[in-house]
Amino acid sequence: MLVSLNWLQEYIDVSAYKPEELAEIITKTGIEVESVEPVAEDVTGVVVGCVVSCEQHPNADKLSLCQVDVGTETLQIVCGAPNIAEGQKVAVATPGAVLPGNFKIKKTKLRGEVSNGMICSLQELGVDEKDVPAEFSEGIYVFPEDAETGVNAISLLNLDDIIIELGLTPNRSDAMSMAGVAYEVAAAIDGQYQLADEKVTPVEDKTEDHLSVQVEDPEANPYYGAFLIKDVQVGPSPLWMQNRLTASGVRPINNVVDITNYVLLEYGQPLHAFDYNRFESNEIVIRFAKDGEIIKTLDDQERKLSSNHLVITNGEEPHAIAGVMGGAKSEVQEDTSAIILEAAYFAPSVVRESSKDHGLRSESSSRFEKGVDPNRVERAGKRACELLEKYANGKVLSGVASFDQLDRSEKQVTIQTSRINDRLGTEISNEEIQDILRRLQFSYEQEGEEFKVTIPTRRGDVVLFEDMLEEVARIYGYDRLPFTLPEGSSQAGGLSLYQQLKRKTKAYFEGAGLNETITYSLTHESKATMLMSPEIEQEAKAPVGLAMPMSEDHSHLRLSILPEMLESLSYNVARKQHDIAYYELGTVFVSEEEQVTAQPNEVLRAAGALTGTWHTNPWQQEKKDVDFFVVKGVVEGLSEHLNIPFTYEKAKLSHMHPGRTAVVKAGDEIVGFIGQVHPKLQKELGLKETYVFDLNAEKLFTKYSKEEAFQTIPRYPSVSRDIALVVDREEAAGDIVSTISEAGAPLVKNVQVFDVYQGENLPEGKKSLAFNLLYLDPNRTLKDKEVEEAHDNILSAVQENHNAEVR
Amino acid sequence: MKERLEQLKQEALEKVTQAENIQSLKDVRVEYLGKKGPITEVLKGMGKLSKEERPVIGQLANEVREEVANAIETKQSRLEDEALERQLEEESIDVTLPGRPVQVGGPHLLTSIIEEIEDLFIGMGFEIKEGPEVETDYYNFEALNLPKGHPARDMQDSFYITEELLLRTHTSPVQARTMGKKNGSEPVKMICPGKVYRRDTDDATHSHQFTQIEGLLVDKNVRMTDLKGVLNTFAKQMFGEDRDIRLRPSFFPFTEPSVEMDISCKVCGGEGCSVCKRTGWIEILGAGMVHPNVLEMAGYDPKEYTGFAFGMGPERIAMLKYGVDDIRNFYTNDIRFLEQYHKA
């Protein structure tokens, strides 16, 4: 809502405040002021001049040589505007004048002729292009004939006005009018304001003799009033009205339309004027449209209606979409001589639907949608009649043709001073409450500390005790509330185990050299199911899709974090950032239904992607690229960190390298996978070798157990032995480690692979693996013989199970 | 014999002095102190001496022996020290060369901010609660006093999946869920951080996915001044002791009264500048007293229980605190952006 300070000043005296001060007060008591802007930058020295003569410039085709009377003298001015003509009243920047951009006007010569000033367009005076009336957009501005020569053109054009922009919350639709703003400002600064009475002088002829109103659905349209105004002369509206419309962001059109718009801004009540003759009926019927019915609206669009759209008809065809836009057929035109003026109350939900379906949000619909003041509907009609009499030569017929089932009753809310104080934590007195209610202009009956408050209908948002609590609090001033801390029952705040584990996991990954990302949950349908972990793939029937996505790229909820993470790797690599190690802790959305009806399971995953160099120290000639075992090391570290043992099994998963991928298991359960991204996908994304992991953090956290008995530090020495084995190349080292651990139990405490070799000196298809074994008995020193025995056991076990040959 | 010993001593000491390395020193030891050395020889010839002479010469011989041995030892340790010094000199390195890099990652800026806020409220006795990102229409809207047909819940603003399911548009449903579990009798004191989604086209100030932190306190006799006190504590800890707060009226369907909280502008100290749009204040969060309808729907008697709620955007806080100028930075995951904030 744009509020002209000059206009507001006519309703309530705010001259004691600087605009910024006033804005601050309004913001603090109720409505946020978003900006305070002058209509135009500082402009001085511009007066109304009368073009006494206008001739062709002797040396230039496109210039005119004008003699302009500016009251005190007559100036010769060269003008380049195409629309300049003798007899016009124009805005003249006299020598010494300053225009926006600190542009100083001086005497000058143009093509050999003296020019003592400049005849200005509105744009040159700092008016926004969009606010300039169409007829003056290509040239100079021309004042109405009655403009007085020599007066200050700046004030005449309202360019010295200041506009306060209010950011209205949905509950404060009462401030969508100058009257509403004036009531609000009066409460804020403790000033005086009352919406003035309308003064109409109707002719004897009665509206009801010419018009009838029929409403088919009173709930959708509880009040419809039609005024009839005859002998109207359509022309420009007075300059002051045009100025106020312009200041409010509404473009002036003609006196009739401008008056309806002016009253809309003044009262907050949208009105509509039909050309009576073009309406072609004495019968106004308000009904829901028939499916498929067509109306051509004021913007020259043919619109197809359906049965949820309320329309104003002449008994046969629609002439307006109720509360949204009028029809082209009965539009007020230059030859219009009689008008039907509509002042109605349309149900908010009805207007909202029409406005939404037709994509039309107008000054009118936005007010109806929030509910207008029922006690101001008819008054607004009268106000428009008053102005039509004054400024359009209208003869207003007496009375109004109407349908009326509108509830205009005022609601009551009871408040108690003590209850207000309990809720606010204040010590407000009865007298202060009285004062606040007086400022709000809410009447009341008081009994002790109890106030029965009558809420004026303009404040339809005040219904409950809590609403009144807010009214009292804001006028009293939030600044005046003291700071206290809650006194109630206290509890120990803290993180749950699950939340602690999330933080622990993040800290681990970061310590391991990975950076955290946050990627989008919504992704392309094809990416939603890409790189799913096998256990997710088993559960998820289909990715969860949006009913109306904004774009294909964000249409479905992810089942894996990896596709979007790889996308961000690709983004970085394209920007020459080649070495990236990322992780993310985030949810994926698993629905077991083909067609989603219930909330999907939200499963927390810990995923990561690494590419490029893992470690480098150039001057020491050290460089290690990311490989499978780097990623596996990261995952193994997490396993140790969470104290959950993992095993790894070779696996073939789509979009993954068939020979470099493994599923990760905890016990018998699959909890994720690791491996290299399939080279085809790498290439598509412009990535070099890229390795990923994706773990089911949700499941891992449930397996986590903090209670671990303390293990005594061994007091006896351990014995270290090595074994070198030659096995088939396909034998998995991990399986052999398991065999060794089992066969060597309980003495073997640790088995470590320390060499892997294949190639020269070994038979085709064989490889050599070397292991270091650690024997330990925590209770005594081991004897050589015991170690020998255990070692022999191990050797026969690996020979038997893995066809291993001891080297 | 006496002369002979004196002479040997002089000779030996002379050679020790001349010895330039450990080997030649060893040779001196072998030559003079060895089993076949001249001093031993002298001792061997003692038998020929008289009873009176024997102890005198014996003692002298031992003294000479000891003196030479000491001289060798002293010289040896000096030579060893010199050798070590030479060796260490050779081992000298260029200490200005860079160290071996230790790769350390770090959290996302939003995570840092969220965890900072979490810890701050944990310190005031709040719990952390979480809830689903795919919500029911009931919890996202209805339970928060946004009945069907309410303009604020327009289809245009939300990502619906079905008529009853949508991506939550705020973290407020966690309020309703948490309250709902208390049977209308226990107090609630919690904050809930999380991802939320709105139908916005991504640009410098809008993101279809962003984060929110919601706070809720419900108990008997909760006052508006308590809200002001808690928010003041938060603002001072988060933004600095020298910052002031102010509350001004606003509107949210789930609170009444509703307020917005501003903090005094850091750049101008409240004087007014371009950062605070010349108001001296910067908007940080929305808050209010829990609407009686919301309490009632969650099973509380609004005559007995009252409460306050507040909600804020970590993106906005990050943008204010660190001057991040484009919200998309949080979601493109440019490594150069992420790494800047590891100390945050």
Side-chain angles (χ1 to χ4, degrees):
Chain A
M1 173 81 185
L2 300 173
V3 177
S4 149
L5 218 48
N6 284 349
W7 189 354
L8 185 67
Q9 175 64 32
E10 293 220 348
Y11 292 161
I12 176 168
D13 184 10
V14 292
S15 57
Y17 304 92
K18 284 188 203 144
E20 287 75 17
E21 282 171 2
L22 185 65
E24 169 90 5
I25 294 171
I26 296 174
T27 295
K28 277 167 81 170
T29 49
I31 295 169
E32 186 180 0
V33 171
E34 288 183 341
S35 65
V36 179
E37 303 277 357
V39 167
E41 280 179 70
D42 269 347
V43 183
T44 56
V46 186
V47 297
V48 176
C50 180
V51 183
V52 181
S53 71
C54 178
E55 289 160 13
Q56 171 77 49
H57 189 293
N59 307 322
D61 285 351
K62 291 187 173 166
L63 296 180
S64 313
L65 196 58
C66 309
Q67 300 300 323
V68 185
D69 174 10
V70 294
T72 48
E73 56 186 322
T74 298
L75 300 171
Q76 170 166 302
I77 299 175
V78 176
C79 179
N83 62 332
I84 183 97
E86 201 177 295
Q88 281 175 340
K89 298 280 178 65
V90 293
V92 181
T94 54
V98 182
L99 298 187
N102 201 24
F103 175 44
K104 293 187 178 109
I105 302 298
K106 286 178 270 189
K107 282 188 185 182
T108 178
K109 263 189 181 179
L110 283 170
R111 295 283 183 102
E113 292 294 336
V114 172
S115 184
N116 287 320
M118 177 172 146
I119 301 176
C120 304
S121 68
L122 287 178
Q123 292 92 325
E124 282 160 340
L125 294 174
V127 177
D128 230 5
E129 190 75 47
K130 66 171 173 42
D131 294 329
V132 175
E135 55 186 310
F136 304 125
S137 66
E138 297 298 324
I140 52 159
Y141 176 73
V142 181
F143 286 100
E145 279 166 33
D146 58 0
E148 209 176 305
T149 301
V151 303
N152 183 345
I154 308 293
S155 352
L156 201 57
L157 287 167
N158 199 42
L159 297 182
D160 54 358
D161 199 359
I162 293 194
I163 306 299
I164 292 184
E165 184 175 7
L166 301 180
L168 295 180
T169 49
N171 59 326
R172 294 305 305 272
S173 57
D174 61 294
M176 290 176 92
S177 66
M178 288 303 296
V181 172
Y183 277 112
E184 175 68 19
V185 171
I189 65 171
D190 199 356
Q192 293 296 322
Y193 173 70
Q194 271 293 336
L195 180 59
D197 287 340
E198 300 76 27
K199 293 183 195 76
V200 195
T201 336
V203 297
E204 255 175 51
D205 199 0
K206 282 196 180 115
T207 304
E208 275 179 302
D209 294 341
H210 300 272
L211 282 178
S212 73
V213 172
Q214 196 187 324
V215 168
E216 286 189 0
D217 186 338
E219 247 178 68
N221 183 197
Y223 177 81
Y224 193 97
F227 298 84
L228 191 56
I229 302 103
K230 290 192 169 168
D231 296 343
V232 170
Q233 279 176 12
V234 177
S237 58
L239 193 56
W240 64 263
M241 188 181 283
Q242 293 191 30
N243 287 338
R244 287 181 182 184
L245 291 176
T246 308
S248 309
V250 176
R251 191 193 274 244
I253 296 170
N254 61 44
N255 52 1
V256 175
V257 175
D258 289 358
I259 285 168
T260 58
N261 284 334
Y262 182 79
V263 176
L264 171 137
L265 292 170
E266 192 180 31
Y267 281 58
Q269 169 66 44
L271 302 170
H272 184 69
F274 300 94
D275 183 315
Y276 178 54
N277 297 318
R278 294 190 171 92
F279 194 72
E280 290 176 346
S281 167
N282 289 328
E283 196 184 20
I284 304 173
V285 179
I286 298 97
R287 59 162 167 85
F288 279 104
K290 296 170 195 138
D291 272 325
E293 212 169 355
I294 304 270
I295 181 173
K296 191 178 189 187
T297 43
L298 284 173
D299 53 2
D300 272 338
Q301 299 268 325
E302 296 237 333
R303 296 178 187 274
K304 205 168 164 189
L305 300 165
S306 50
S307 61
N308 58 335
H309 303 142
L310 191 71
V311 288
I312 319 301
T313 73
N314 61 359
E316 283 174 16
E317 49 173 0
H319 276 258
I321 305 174
V324 178
M325 195 178 262
K329 200 165 177 195
S330 47
E331 183 179 2
V332 172
Q333 296 180 15
E334 270 181 41
D335 63 354
T336 298
S337 61
I339 57 172
I340 302 171
L341 183 78
E342 160 199 297
Y345 186 103
F346 301 117
S349 57
V350 171
V351 176
R352 192 177 309 131
E353 271 192 48
S354 299
S355 139
K356 208 172 80 185
D357 289 356
H358 296 289
L360 276 173
R361 266 189 66 84
S362 56
E363 293 277 350
S364 161
S365 71
S366 63
R367 284 172 176 79
F368 279 124
E369 278 178 29
K370 297 198 172 75
V372 295
D373 178 358
N375 278 310
R376 229 183 258 166
V377 185
E378 204 176 334
R379 288 186 65 183
K382 287 186 183 155
R383 171 67 171 154
C385 289
E386 175 186 346
L387 294 170
L388 285 165
E389 275 179 353
K390 264 196 203 165
Y391 302 107
N393 193 42
K395 302 276 172 292
V396 178
L397 272 65
S398 56
V400 54
S402 67
F403 171 87
D404 190 357
Q405 287 189 12
L406 186 59
D407 177 9
R408 294 182 178 79
S409 64
E410 291 176 322
K411 308 281 179 288
Q412 287 197 323
V413 177
T414 303
I415 56 173
Q416 298 83 13
T417 307
S418 59
R419 197 164 159 216
I420 296 259
N421 283 325
D422 285 349
R423 290 293 188 84
L424 293 181
T426 47
E427 289 172 3
I428 302 176
S429 66
N430 285 342
E431 289 69 34
E432 282 173 300
I433 301 267
Q434 289 169 357
D435 197 50
I436 289 167
L437 293 174
R438 178 189 58 74
R439 285 167 65 174
L440 288 165
Q441 300 191 43
F442 289 2
S443 59
Y444 59 88
E445 282 168 38
Q446 186 185 355
E447 224 173 278
E449 62 139 28
E450 189 167 279
F451 295 80
K452 211 173 267 175
V453 184
T454 301
I455 313 296
T457 49
R458 64 185 157 84
R459 289 299 307 277
D461 60 311
V462 180
V463 179
L464 302 173
F465 167 79
E466 282 74 13
D467 299 323
M468 265 316 298
L469 185 67
E470 178 167 74
E471 292 302 303
V472 172
R474 70 186 186 91
I475 300 297
Y476 178 76
Y478 287 115
D479 283 353
R480 293 169 67 193
L481 300 193
F483 295 106
T484 61
L485 286 176
E487 286 166 355
S489 37
S490 63
Q491 60 173 15
L495 297 172
S496 66
L497 177 62
Y498 181 83
Q499 290 158 354
Q500 287 172 33
L501 287 173
K502 275 214 272 192
R503 286 205 186 180
K504 193 178 161 90
T505 303
K506 285 180 186 172
Y508 164 72
F509 282 133
E510 284 153 22
L514 274 56
N515 287 298
E516 189 193 14
T517 61
I518 301 180
T519 54
Y520 291 134
S521 310
L522 284 169
T523 186
H524 193 279
E525 183 170 14
S526 65
K527 281 200 278 182
T529 53
M530 198 191 257
L531 292 164
M532 271 185 290
S533 188
E535 88 278 16
I536 293 288
E537 190 166 4
Q538 220 167 28
E539 273 180 50
K541 269 271 152 33
V544 176
L546 298 178
M548 290 194 306
M550 291 178 75
S551 75
E552 282 191 4
D553 283 342
H554 305 296
S555 60
H556 285 73
L557 285 166
R558 65 184 178 188
L559 282 157
S560 166
I561 295 173
L562 292 174
E564 286 287 331
M565 188 179 278
L566 290 176
E567 206 64 60
S568 69
L569 254 56
S570 173
Y571 175 95
N572 279 289
V573 168
R575 281 155 186 81
K576 305 255 183 292
Q577 305 294 315
H578 296 287
D579 309 323
I580 307 285
Y582 277 167
Y583 86 92
E584 180 167 336
L585 220 54
T587 42
V588 301
F589 304 80
V590 183
S591 172
E592 293 173 32
E593 302 170 300
E594 197 80 58
Q595 271 297 325
V596 183
T597 60
Q599 283 170 283
N601 288 329
E602 296 186 17
V603 182
L604 186 71
R605 309 289 305 184
L610 295 83
T611 189
T613 305
W614 173 242
H615 163 81
T616 175
N617 194 13
W619 69 270
Q620 290 185 316
Q621 281 79 51
E622 287 176 350
K623 185 170 182 291
K624 170 99 191 78
D625 282 340
V626 172
D627 65 15
F628 181 87
F629 299 101
V630 165
V631 180
K632 189 174 177 190
V634 169
V635 171
E636 282 173 333
L638 182 69
S639 148
E640 240 168 77
H641 210 65
L642 296 176
N643 198 22
I644 303 167
F646 289 168
T647 54
Y648 303 83
E649 279 172 23
K650 204 162 185 175
K652 287 190 172 23
L653 303 177
S654 62
H655 297 295
M656 292 295 288
H657 190 303
R660 295 180 179 178
T661 298
V663 292
V664 181
K665 284 181 157 182
D668 291 336
E669 269 182 294
I670 294 180
V671 291
F673 71 98
I674 62 172
Q676 186 188 341
V677 172
H678 198 289
K680 270 192 188 163
L681 181 55
Q682 284 176 177
K683 204 177 158 195
E684 260 173 56
L685 293 166
L687 294 171
K688 286 193 283 189
E689 276 192 24
T690 300
Y691 291 84
V692 297
F693 63 87
D694 178 14
L695 301 169
N696 193 328
E698 195 91 32
K699 200 169 270 174
L700 293 179
F701 292 174
T702 60
K703 288 177 185 289
Y704 175 84
S705 156
K706 214 174 187 177
E707 286 79 36
E708 261 293 299
F710 169 69
Q711 304 255 324
T712 320
I713 314 286
R715 255 173 282 179
Y716 300 95
S718 58
V719 178
S720 162
R721 287 288 164 88
D722 293 347
I723 304 180
L725 301 174
V726 175
V727 292
D728 286 345
R729 220 171 257 185
E730 291 71 36
E731 259 333 307
D735 294 345
I736 299 175
V737 169
S738 308
T739 304
I740 294 174
S741 302
E742 272 166 44
L747 294 185
V748 171
K749 295 290 184 247
N750 188 20
V751 184
Q752 193 129 38
V753 183
F754 73 87
D755 188 46
V756 180
Y757 175 77
Q758 53 192 43
E760 246 180 277
N761 302 329
L762 279 179
E764 188 64 26
K766 295 280 182 184
K767 67 178 172 187
S768 155
L769 293 171
F771 303 88
N772 176 263
L773 281 57
L774 201 72
Y775 292 90
L776 177 78
D777 187 325
N779 302 314
R780 59 200 174 84
T781 305
L782 283 172
K783 288 178 190 139
D784 278 356
K785 213 182 138 199
E786 289 173 296
V787 174
E788 283 314 323
E789 269 174 30
H791 209 69
D792 287 346
N793 257 346
I794 290 169
L795 292 180
S796 43
V798 290
Q799 279 164 350
E800 198 171 306
N801 295 342
H802 302 285
N803 195 22
E805 184 192 320
V806 183
R807 286 183 99 191
Chain B
M1 256 184 156
K2 213 172 171 184
E3 292 77 35
R4 173 77 179 135
L5 279 170
E6 282 296 331
Q7 190 200 336
L8 283 173
K9 186 173 104 179
Q10 291 309 322
E11 264 179 46
L13 292 178
E14 182 70 19
K15 285 199 174 161
V16 168
T17 313
Q18 279 165 10
E20 279 175 351
N21 55 45
I22 297 203
Q23 189 51 49
S24 50
L25 204 58
K26 254 187 198 163
D27 293 346
V28 176
R29 181 192 293 273
V30 172
E31 190 180 347
Y32 289 89
L33 304 179
K35 280 180 184 156
K36 286 172 187 161
I39 298 177
T40 317
E41 285 301 309
V42 170
L43 288 171
K44 275 182 187 162
M46 289 244 288
K48 295 172 196 157
L49 295 177
S50 66
K51 253 185 192 161
E52 293 74 30
E53 275 181 320
R54 226 181 275 164
V56 179
I57 296 298
Q59 194 186 348
L60 182 67
N62 278 333
E63 279 171 13
V64 169
R65 207 187 160 95
E66 210 166 303
E67 205 170 324
V68 172
N70 280 344
I72 291 173
E73 206 152 295
T74 311
K75 178 78 187 232
Q76 180 165 349
S77 91
R78 211 186 79 212
L79 285 175
E80 275 171 4
D81 281 354
E82 282 169 8
L84 182 63
E85 228 164 90
R86 272 197 305 280
Q87 189 198 331
L88 295 186
E89 198 55 48
E90 274 163 31
E91 284 171 9
S92 144
I93 51 164
D94 178 357
V95 297
T96 65
L97 282 167
R100 179 187 295 259
V102 175
Q103 179 153 335
V104 179
H108 193 282
L109 175 57
L110 290 176
T111 304
S112 304
I113 297 221
I114 289 170
E115 289 186 358
E116 187 179 350
I117 296 172
E118 284 178 354
D119 292 343
L120 217 145
F121 279 100
I122 285 172
M124 289 193 264
F126 284 71
E127 284 181 290
I128 315 290
K129 292 286 179 190
E130 288 158 296
E133 291 171 34
V134 175
E135 257 303 355
T136 60
D137 185 87
Y138 176 80
Y139 279 112
N140 195 71
F141 289 129
E142 215 139 311
L144 297 165
N145 202 29
L146 280 144
K148 288 216 160 81
H150 195 289
R153 56 180 285 175
D154 210 309
M155 278 286 273
Q156 302 301 313
D157 305 324
S158 322
F159 286 123
Y160 274 88
I161 292 161
T162 66
E163 245 174 60
E164 289 305 316
L165 290 180
L166 73 161
L167 296 186
R168 65 177 175 193
T169 55
H170 43 197
T171 43
S172 316
V174 185
Q175 278 189 24
R177 285 181 176 274
T178 308
M179 281 192 281
K181 287 184 191 132
K182 303 281 183 181
N183 297 319
S185 57
E186 285 169 63
V188 178
K189 202 172 177 186
M190 60 126 200
I191 68 164
C192 51
K195 291 175 187 151
V196 300
Y197 306 85
R198 300 236 176 122
R199 279 186 79 87
D200 274 325
T201 305
D202 297 342
D203 63 22
T205 53
H206 296 86
S207 179
H208 74 275
Q209 173 181 323
F210 57 103
T211 58
Q212 249 190 10
I213 298 181
E214 186 95 0
L216 174 73
L217 189 149
V218 172
D219 205 342
K220 291 177 181 168
N221 307 320
V222 179
R223 302 156 298 182
M224 190 130 190
T225 48
D226 298 336
L227 168 64
K228 204 175 162 184
V230 166
L231 292 182
N232 190 47
T233 308
F234 160 73
K236 288 206 183 314
Q237 290 196 38
M238 190 77 194
F239 298 100
E241 279 299 322
D242 54 339
R243 311 294 284 279
D244 292 323
I245 69 158
R246 75 165 182 188
L247 303 183
R248 54 184 169 75
S250 188
F251 171 77
F252 307 104
F254 29 90
T255 48
E256 187 73 34
S258 300
V259 291
E260 252 159 317
M261 183 190 90
D262 299 337
I263 58 167
S264 55
C265 179
K266 186 173 147 187
V267 178
C268 62
E271 293 287 308
C273 66
S274 64
V275 173
C276 57
K277 290 194 228 154
R278 273 168 289 282
T279 61
W281 296 97
I282 290 175
E283 186 181 319
I284 292 292
L285 54 80
M289 303 303 288
V290 182
H291 197 287
N293 294 355
V294 174
L295 286 169
E296 214 162 321
M297 272 185 279
Y300 286 94
D301 177 358
K303 290 217 166 63
E304 198 183 344
Y305 280 89
T306 50
F308 63 73
F310 54 87
M312 62 188 113
E315 278 88 349
R316 178 167 173 78
I317 291 172
M319 290 170 101
L320 287 173
K321 231 178 147 172
Y322 301 101
V324 179
D325 58 358
D326 190 326
I327 197 170
R328 286 169 294 197
N329 280 324
F330 297 111
Y331 297 96
T332 24
N333 298 302
D334 189 315
I335 186 75
R336 295 162 296 181
F337 175 81
L338 296 177
E339 282 184 338
Q340 278 182 49
Y341 297 103
H342 285 173
K343 280 166 251 131

